[in-house]
Amino acid sequence: MEGVSSLDEPLKKLLGGATAKVMAEHLDLHTVGDLLHHYPRRYEERGKLTALTDLPLDEHVTVVAQVADARILTFNNGRGKRLEVTLTDGSGRLQLVFFGHGVHKPHKELLPGRQAMFAGKVSVFNRKMQLAHPTYQLLDASDADEASEAVDAFAGRLLPIYPACKQLDSWRIAKAVDAVLPSARDAVDPLPASLREGRGFTPLPEALLKVHRPQTRADIEDAKARLKWDEAFVLQVALARRRYADTQLPAAARRRVADGLLDAFDAKLPFTLTEGQEKVSKEIFDDLATEHPMHRLLQGEVGSGKTMVALRAMLAVVDAGGQAAMLAPTEVLAQQHHRSITEMMGELAEGGMLGGSDRGTKVVLLTGSMGAAARRQALLDLVTGEAGIVIGTHALIEDKVRFHDLGLVVVDEQHRFGVEQRDALRSKGKQPPHLLVMTATPIPRTVAMTVFGDLETSVLDQLPAGRSPIASHVVPATDKPHFLARAWERVAEEVENGHQAYVVCPRIGDDAEEAEGRGGKKAKAKKAAPEEDGEKRPPLAVLEIADQLRGGALSGLSVEVLHGRMHPDEKDDVMRRFAAGDVDVLVATTVIEVGVNVPNATAMVIMDADRFGVSQLHQLRGRVGRGSAPGLCLLVSEAHEASPARARLSAVAATLDGFELSRIDLEQRREGDVLGQAQSGVRSSLRMLTVIDDEEVIAAAREEAVAIVAADPELERLPELRTVLAALLDKEREEYLDKG
């Protein structure tokens, strides 16, 4: 970076150590620039502060009001003191209460008739609204200078209310912002002048002044438009540079060969591919035939046939003399993919074996829990090139694994794989291999552009013929217990009709009492605080529910369990017997979430459904209705009818459209989660932009970014943009974007 600008100054230089420490620890703000980008959450009009009659319970509020009355009361035979202050703002009254040693200062200052600004958390005591120990600032201080300063600060028509924390209230943040605001003049403007003028944007220093100290509502809109654009643009430039760098890498072209494995495979398919599968396959074959690595995201609805598309890509690469590796997030999934791919390929997966096809290849499995002999053989088959296809977990990334000629990497469920893992596998080719990332959670276009901006996207949105619709219903276990009894009757009816069912629980329920984390890792079950959703019990567990069902509602049926801490052979055995129809009901954790394919399973009951995310529920539901009989998914929940958790479940029950659900999911979570997770845990740099609402901004910024990077990949003619990129892409994030 060219010289240190005043925006890089540590906050403690300007604000003093104590305030700076709270800002760093609780708000993640470290420099002057960080604080300038800590934008107000909303603005109050001075005359229109929250009326005392409309205060929301349990929220931190800021009110301006007048002291009507203040009195000290004693309790505990005079040993305890309490100061009670009554406020009024013309609309209603509010009680303040201070205890113990905290009563002296407010008792001297909060005299009847004084006006002040108060902040605290609203609670109810004796059926009256109150703030306990609020912080306050007098607006008519006895010292005339101090008074006029306070009034000036808060008499501006629009009062910024900042995202605050218990240790630091909004107006102390506002004061700190005042101290650093002059530095806004030094803000480096990342937008090329032609772009800024062409789109009529406010200059950056002015936008920062307007967002923090607006004179009018129009100032706020101006500032927001500019600051949103900056965030979208800088991120898109970073992604465009990464895409550009990828196109400069060499790769071995893997052109489609006639009369090879792929043609033999297509010839024995018992069905025709959907139009979507044909179209997406063509995009992939075209990419594979170029001398730069393919980077493609394949997303599609649950059950849209992504595995089939990926397998055909792998076969094309094997035909062209290369090898293909498929990376799955868990052992159960790796085994499942291995089983379904060898079944789909038949004798073509037995290259070099007796009865195998002469055009065939070997398909090997590589996971951490394999026996030493099987593992040695798999590694040998890879290094000699005997195995054209390998399917495995992150065991594939270990140093010991060597390939004869790795041509294609397929990553299943990318959101569980850090970019680092993607790159470690990529470095195993003689040249960078082609990369196909599959995700089963449909992602709205804007999110794909922002999160997977370095990948080209293909979408499968039709379901293959023969898939049945799935009916979904919420079962309110507390309001209507007889609904739950009916749910088990429905399961028994499905079994009577020759079908099978899944029951999914959030927890295993063995001694370790741990929830099985996504991706098969053990993770502590996070108990929600009672006030979060009124629950006190731990999530329902597989082992307990299975026992209850065997001894009760489903006695007489064959009920088995499946979870991530069983021995792999045991899991395999249960899955095989379930697939063969020997098990009626499988009680499982989310290990069955992706890739499990049992067309005869038609019903699913999800216990404590409110403990799962929207996309996870959609994934789970996709395990039923895979055959010709219609599917049924019952979402059992004790969540209150009016709760957000219940609204989420109703949304899942109401639509089978994964893209629609992912939008709902996003609106309920913040973008930070989405970006943070996908960008290897890096804190989201989005403060103003909301990925889901600012579609046009993101699309336009992407277009400009692509054009700028194509014309000047190193940004030599745009030193300001380079400086801002360097600041945004702090070390971690830069590594994330520069990999590959």
Side-chain angles (χ1 to χ4, degrees):
M1 271 179 87
E2 291 84 8
V4 175
S5 94
S6 62
L7 270 67
D8 301 320
E9 290 278 3
L11 283 171
K12 57 175 176 282
K13 270 196 172 170
L14 278 89
L15 304 180
T19 307
K21 187 169 187 265
V22 171
M23 286 196 166
E25 284 175 10
H26 296 280
L27 298 169
D28 201 11
L29 306 174
H30 307 273
T31 65
V32 168
D34 288 347
L35 182 52
L36 284 174
H37 290 295
H38 184 71
Y39 307 129
R41 172 180 289 152
R42 58 191 168 85
Y43 302 85
E44 290 285 14
E45 288 182 36
R46 177 58 198 285
K48 285 193 193 162
L49 273 146
T50 313
L52 296 185
T53 46
D54 303 337
L55 292 181
L57 253 185
D58 289 338
E59 270 192 35
H60 273 278
V61 297
T62 302
V63 297
V64 168
Q66 199 166 23
V67 177
D69 173 53
R71 61 183 66 181
I72 283 192
L73 305 171
T74 56
F75 54 96
N76 263 0
N77 295 332
R79 287 199 298 277
K81 277 188 181 173
R82 179 166 91 236
L83 170 65
E84 284 186 1
V85 179
T86 307
L87 301 182
T88 174
D89 68 349
S91 76
R93 290 181 165 244
L94 176 67
Q95 189 102 26
L96 310 181
V97 57
F98 299 86
F99 292 102
H101 298 303
V103 305
H104 304 303
K105 186 167 181 264
H107 190 222
K108 285 210 300 270
E109 294 183 335
L110 297 177
L111 304 171
R114 300 288 293 274
Q115 206 189 19
M117 187 151 148
F118 301 88
K121 193 171 179 181
V122 183
S123 57
V124 168
F125 182 70
N126 275 347
R127 294 209 293 276
K128 279 193 200 144
M129 292 278 215
Q130 72 165 24
L131 300 183
H133 275 288
T135 48
Y136 60 89
Q137 171 144 5
L138 297 172
L139 294 180
D140 52 358
S142 47
D143 171 352
D145 289 348
E146 203 183 313
S148 70
E149 234 177 81
V151 171
D152 285 349
F154 296 112
R157 283 185 298 266
L158 290 162
L159 198 64
I161 306 290
Y162 287 90
C165 59
K166 200 164 116 197
Q167 297 77 2
L168 204 60
D169 37 50
S170 172
W171 62 78
R172 284 170 55 204
I173 296 173
K175 256 191 154 145
V177 169
D178 284 335
V180 302
L181 213 46
S183 305
R185 287 194 303 268
D186 304 335
V188 177
D189 199 323
L191 297 191
S194 58
L195 193 162
R196 189 175 65 235
E197 286 149 21
R199 290 184 176 267
F201 284 129
T202 306
L204 184 58
E206 195 185 318
L208 288 169
L209 283 170
K210 281 180 168 179
V211 80
H212 288 292
R213 297 293 172 263
Q215 296 299 305
T216 61
R217 292 269 169 201
D219 281 355
I220 300 171
E221 291 317 307
D222 256 13
K224 281 187 168 173
R226 168 67 217 252
L227 296 167
K228 271 182 181 179
W229 179 272
D230 280 17
E231 287 175 9
F233 177 70
V234 172
L235 187 59
Q236 291 302 338
V237 168
L239 291 165
R241 289 186 70 190
R242 177 167 175 160
R243 269 198 314 278
Y244 178 84
D246 283 340
T247 62
Q248 304 307 299
L249 291 171
R254 311 281 175 176
R255 293 187 183 84
R256 193 171 168 178
V257 177
D259 296 330
L261 252 177
L262 179 57
D263 285 350
F265 175 77
D266 282 350
K268 63 193 260 330
L269 274 181
F271 51 81
T272 51
L273 298 172
T274 65
E275 230 172 284
Q277 284 174 317
E278 291 280 13
K279 181 177 130 287
V280 169
S281 291
K282 184 182 181 315
E283 291 171 348
I284 292 171
F285 293 143
D286 289 349
D287 280 358
L288 289 173
T290 61
E291 294 181 353
H292 300 294
M294 160 171 86
H295 287 116
R296 194 165 276 283
L297 172 70
L298 171 58
Q299 55 163 335
E301 272 299 357
V302 177
S304 56
K306 290 181 294 291
T307 313
M308 173 62 71
V309 169
L311 174 56
R312 293 182 72 239
M314 296 199 287
L315 296 175
V317 167
V318 175
D319 276 342
Q323 290 168 294
M326 183 183 235
L327 198 53
T330 64
E331 294 211 350
V332 169
L333 259 178
Q335 289 158 353
Q336 186 74 32
H337 278 312
H338 181 253
R339 189 180 310 128
S340 64
I341 283 174
T342 47
E343 278 168 13
M344 285 198 269
M345 286 175 64
E347 74 281 6
L348 297 175
E350 296 163 1
M353 296 183 222
L354 209 58
S357 157
D358 51 357
R359 282 188 288 192
T361 185
K362 253 190 186 179
V363 179
V364 299
L365 177 68
L366 192 62
T367 62
S369 65
M370 277 167 77
R375 191 181 168 80
R376 240 193 335 271
Q377 184 60 51
L379 291 171
L380 186 67
D381 287 341
L382 284 180
V383 79
T384 59
E386 190 86 358
I389 294 177
V390 58
I391 294 154
T393 52
H394 39 260
L396 276 178
I397 299 170
E398 289 167 15
D399 292 346
K400 292 191 279 296
V401 181
R402 294 267 178 280
F403 289 86
H404 175 64
D405 179 15
L406 180 60
L408 169 67
V409 174
V410 178
V411 180
D412 184 19
E413 282 297 284
Q414 201 273 348
H415 58 269
R416 305 187 189 182
F417 268 108
V419 175
E420 297 84 355
Q421 289 148 307
R422 210 160 87 178
D423 292 323
L425 193 55
R426 211 190 254 182
S427 63
K428 295 197 176 284
K430 295 175 181 159
Q431 289 185 315
H434 299 281
L435 174 71
L436 180 65
V437 172
M438 299 198 294
T439 170
T441 309
I443 307 167
R445 177 171 153 267
T446 34
V447 183
M449 285 194 318
T450 308
V451 179
F452 300 103
D454 57 328
L455 302 172
E456 299 298 325
T457 307
S458 296
V459 178
L460 280 174
D461 46 15
Q462 314 162 266
L463 292 187
R467 291 297 301 257
S468 301
I470 305 168
S472 308
H473 303 284
V474 179
V475 177
T478 19
D479 321 350
K480 300 181 177 153
H482 59 284
F483 275 38
L484 184 56
R486 177 73 190 117
W488 299 127
E489 283 170 19
R490 282 291 290 115
V491 169
E493 285 163 17
E494 289 297 311
V495 174
E496 250 167 67
N497 293 332
H499 298 300
Q500 294 156 277
Y502 298 100
V503 177
V504 182
C505 303
R507 204 164 55 94
I508 300 174
D510 51 13
D511 303 342
E513 281 306 348
E514 286 174 347
E516 196 169 329
R518 292 188 49 127
K521 288 195 193 72
K522 295 173 198 168
K524 280 272 181 284
K526 173 186 171 292
K527 272 196 67 176
E531 59 272 16
E532 273 177 18
D533 60 3
E535 60 88 18
K536 290 194 175 59
R537 64 168 175 75
L540 292 170
V542 166
L543 302 175
E544 293 154 19
I545 293 288
D547 283 345
Q548 284 172 25
L549 292 175
R550 286 188 190 112
L554 302 181
S555 60
L557 302 186
S558 136
V559 176
E560 294 271 0
V561 301
L562 179 72
H563 59 74
R565 284 212 298 279
M566 287 161 63
H567 187 279
D569 295 348
E570 250 186 299
K571 282 191 250 189
D572 236 24
D573 174 54
V574 171
M575 244 359 271
R576 252 180 237 281
R577 287 188 296 118
F578 187 65
D582 302 338
V583 173
D584 297 324
V585 179
L586 187 63
V587 183
T589 54
T590 53
V591 291
I592 61 152
E593 181 183 348
V594 191
V596 173
N597 187 18
V598 180
N600 190 44
T602 53
M604 176 178 285
V605 180
I606 303 178
M607 307 304 292
D608 276 345
D610 46 280
R611 311 269 181 140
F612 299 99
V614 169
S615 59
Q616 213 177 3
L617 290 169
H618 185 55
Q619 281 298 330
L620 287 165
R621 169 171 66 184
R623 301 305 105 211
V624 295
R626 298 178 81 85
S628 52
L632 171 69
C633 177
L634 301 173
L635 306 166
V636 179
S637 165
E638 290 184 6
H640 186 272
E641 203 166 350
S643 66
R646 191 69 173 269
R648 212 169 54 223
L649 294 182
S650 303
V652 174
T655 176
L656 289 171
D657 178 344
F659 286 92
E660 177 54 32
L661 284 174
S662 60
R663 288 190 81 91
I664 293 169
D665 197 15
L666 257 185
E667 281 161 11
Q668 294 182 338
R669 299 179 2 216
R670 292 242 349 283
E671 279 66 33
D673 312 348
V674 181
L675 292 179
Q677 192 182 23
Q679 311 211 338
S680 67
V682 178
R683 178 167 69 101
S684 163
S685 62
L686 303 189
R687 307 273 164 79
M688 189 64 88
L689 192 75
T690 51
V691 174
I692 208 80
D693 300 329
D694 296 318
E695 203 148 335
E696 291 79 14
V697 177
I698 292 170
R702 182 180 170 109
E703 225 166 275
E704 295 275 9
V706 169
I708 283 169
V709 171
D712 180 6
E714 291 307 309
L715 307 178
E716 281 162 5
R717 298 190 289 281
L718 300 168
E720 295 82 5
L721 179 53
R722 263 214 327 269
T723 301
V724 171
L725 265 180
L728 168 80
L729 306 177
D730 50 38
K731 274 281 107 346
E732 268 182 289
R733 189 148 188 156
E734 186 147 46
E735 280 162 20
Y736 159 72
L737 285 167
D738 282 352
K739 285 234 175 95

